[in-house]
Amino acid sequence: MQANVARLRAHLGPSTALCAVVKADGYGHGAVPCARAALAGGAARVAVVTGTEAQRLREGGIEAPIIAFGALDDEELDRALDAGAEIAAWSTRFLRRLGDRDARVHVKLDTGMGRLGTRDPRRADEVVEALGERAVGLWTHFATADERGDRFFGEQLERFRAWALPHKERRPELILHAANSAATLREPASHFDMVRCGIAIYGLDPFGEDPAGHGLRPALTLRSYVATVKRCEPGQSAGYGRTFVADEPTRLATLPIGYGDGWRRALSNNSDVVIRGRRYPVAGTISMDNLTVDVGLDSDVEPGDEATLIGDGILAEEVARRIGTINYEITCGLLPRTRRAYVRDGEPARE
Ligand SMILES: *Cc1c(COP(=O)(O)O)cnc(C)c1O
């Protein structure tokens, strides 16, 4: 993780900072240890979405600047400000809720994402104006940065430049930021003063390809183990709904992991597991707590063997592709029951 951040920073000019996005519990990896590793790798600050997430980082001992860039209801706004987090704004209505409280605010222009932010540069100007010194950043977010060659990306970039650069000229201390991981890797003109990288710091590829292509290494390995191995005769089946029925004698290994851990049911009969260096297919329906793997008659798989679901040649990108989603959703989907262990340079690291 630390190496991925360093690698991304090598794409940046000397005046561009990297903000590590650790929302959604660090894309399922664990927000606090990821924030710590990203800061060690040279990130200048970290970003989350909610005030609660910002508080958790503070409780975990993260002292770096935090941005909570989501839409905040009153409670989340209180929490964000209590945590000393910077926040986002785009409407005078929100400014009324903020009142005269002390805050560091990033004003958001919606240049085409169509979610948060105002589409009207004039209204964004009003918010900047009303905030005065409390406005510390100007920002936007891309809708299609991960679609190479897409022209909309350039249009959004132009709209952002046209709005933000005149402000920057008047107030050089304003932090301009727009790029997510894909934009960071794809277009230096989108870097401005800061980039907000999420997926790539985890060593996952924003374009859904092999992250090695960008010199990134997956931070996460997902492992279970073989709890039992049993013979399966022709006609015998495994799992709910009998979606696997043996047509020749084989052996099935049961791993104690399932969709209750975040290993999605759609991967039933549609994913592989690596045991003792060999890939074997998942056979049958993945249940909440277990799944079964067809290890054949000639393998030496036995109870206690380690079993890898992500890692050892299986990329989160491959898993995502099999079920028509993106790598983001695969790691974000890992549930609390999957025990996390953190490693740094091969040694156990702090939680
Ligand atoms: C999630 C998010 C990011 C990070 O995006 P990646 O594609 O994971 O790099 C950046 N900015 C905003 C506003 C986001 O919501």
Side-chain angles (χ1 to χ4, degrees):
M1 168 119 203
Q2 195 175 323
N4 291 329
V5 172
R7 178 89 200 183
L8 288 162
R9 282 185 65 221
H11 286 267
L12 308 177
S15 59
T16 302
L18 188 143
C19 172
V21 180
V22 297
K23 62 190 177 185
D25 199 24
Y27 291 41
H29 295 62
V32 171
C34 288
R36 211 179 277 128
L39 292 164
R45 58 179 72 207
V46 293
V48 290
V49 170
T50 68
T52 306
E53 288 181 311
Q55 277 186 331
R56 298 246 161 87
L57 290 179
R58 291 293 185 231
E59 286 159 13
I62 301 300
E63 292 171 359
I66 300 175
I67 312 179
F69 57 53
L72 305 173
D73 64 17
D74 286 337
E75 179 164 344
E76 288 297 334
L77 175 58
D78 289 345
R79 287 178 183 219
L81 295 177
D82 281 350
E86 301 173 4
I87 56 173
W90 50 86
S91 70
T92 44
R93 189 190 151 101
F94 178 82
L95 295 189
R96 282 197 293 280
R97 280 172 49 212
L98 181 62
D100 56 7
R101 281 182 283 181
D102 207 15
R104 289 169 57 82
V105 184
H106 297 255
V107 179
K108 183 168 200 184
L109 182 72
D110 176 7
T111 55
M113 184 63 166
R115 304 183 310 193
L116 306 177
T118 171
R119 287 191 197 266
D120 181 353
R122 253 24 89 220
R123 286 185 54 195
D125 290 343
E126 282 167 28
V127 175
V128 175
E129 195 81 9
L131 282 165
E133 293 293 303
R134 292 189 296 173
V136 298
L138 305 179
W139 67 298
T140 194
H141 190 52
F142 294 111
T144 58
D146 56 342
E147 295 168 34
R148 278 192 242 263
D150 170 80
R151 294 206 2 233
F152 193 67
F153 174 79
E155 292 169 23
Q156 284 197 264
L157 183 54
E158 246 346 280
R159 278 195 276 276
F160 181 65
R161 291 170 62 88
W163 170 64
L165 291 179
H167 283 287
K168 178 83 178 171
E169 220 155 88
R170 280 194 298 278
R171 286 185 54 195
E173 75 280 10
L174 284 171
I175 305 166
L176 271 47
H177 50 108
N180 55 5
S181 298
T184 300
L185 293 169
R186 159 181 171 175
E187 181 51 84
S190 71
H191 292 175
F192 300 100
D193 302 308
M194 185 172 84
V195 296
R196 304 184 306 272
C197 291
I199 198 80
I201 67 174
Y202 305 97
L204 300 169
D205 187 74
F207 306 98
E209 294 157 9
D210 186 340
H214 290 111
L216 301 169
R217 256 187 41 215
L220 180 144
T221 306
L222 179 64
R223 290 212 171 91
S224 182
Y225 71 96
V226 176
T228 66
V229 182
K230 65 174 75 167
R231 239 184 111 92
C232 190
E233 302 298 341
Q236 290 184 322
S237 63
Y240 289 115
R242 307 192 71 212
T243 65
F244 171 83
V245 181
D247 48 20
E248 55 189 54
T250 189
R251 293 192 315 150
L252 296 181
T254 301
L255 317 186
I257 184 169
Y259 64 78
D261 304 281
W263 197 246
R264 302 267 297 276
R265 192 166 175 277
L267 292 163
S268 300
N269 293 302
N270 186 22
S271 49
D272 291 338
V273 171
V274 174
I275 306 169
R276 295 187 180 228
R278 266 179 70 186
R279 271 195 188 228
Y280 299 99
V282 166
T285 303
I286 293 171
S287 50
M288 190 184 295
D289 313 313
N290 297 286
L291 60 80
T292 42
V293 181
D294 186 350
V295 297
L297 289 181
D298 63 349
S299 73
D300 47 6
V301 170
E302 57 182 54
D305 283 353
E306 203 169 69
T308 307
L309 294 95
I310 299 176
D312 295 343
I314 301 177
L315 293 170
E317 288 77 5
E318 171 194 329
V319 176
R321 211 158 30 241
R322 283 176 181 268
I323 59 172
T325 184
I326 53 177
N327 45 6
Y328 296 72
E329 201 183 19
I330 297 300
T331 63
C332 281
L334 296 175
L335 297 173
R337 194 169 70 184
T338 46
R339 232 169 38 223
R340 270 77 168 166
Y342 297 93
V343 181
R344 181 178 179 177
D345 300 330
E347 299 290 326
R350 272 170 73 195
E351 301 262 311

